[in-house]
Amino acid sequence: MISTENHMGKINISDKYITGIIKKTVSGCFGVAGLSSNNLKEKILSELTGRQDNSGISIRISENRLTVNIHISVTYGTNIQAVALSVRNKLRFVLSELVGIEVERVNIFVDEIVS
């Protein structure tokens, strides 16, 4: 959870909201077929923590800086490097605009190529 305070009061932003923003942003990027939940570690962590909405996304917040790990499926025939760069840039922009937090790192893992 992110907490900020300004002249209007204290604002708390939940991890679920951030994850929702990430899902919508990534699904709208060119070349992304979808989020991939093939990561066994994330499946186990989601069961232990009770989070069911993780499906390929993990976030870590430290000192008001955000680190995002995303597992995606890419459409066959697209340039994987271009897709990853596009996703990274769009996520940095959207998260800094909507949440107002510095995005320290976006790690993108391409798990499969879908035809």
Side-chain angles (χ1 to χ4, degrees), residues 27-90:
S27 65
C29 287
F30 173 76
V32 176
L35 293 168
S36 175
S37 59
N38 290 338
N39 190 355
L40 181 62
K41 180 180 175 183
E42 285 186 10
K43 285 182 181 180
I44 292 171
L45 284 175
S46 67
E47 288 181 16
L48 291 175
T49 59
R51 291 185 184 176
Q52 297 300 321
D53 60 337
N54 256 357
S55 72
I57 300 172
S58 67
I59 59 172
R60 187 179 56 215
I61 302 166
S62 62
E63 299 174 10
N64 272 349
R65 289 188 283 171
L66 183 66
T67 301
V68 180
N69 293 323
I70 306 169
H71 292 266
I72 62 172
S73 301
V74 177
T75 307
Y76 178 78
T78 57
N79 185 337
I80 295 173
Q81 183 179 2
V83 171
L85 186 61
S86 172
V87 169
R88 178 177 289 129
N89 290 337
K90 192 166 184 179

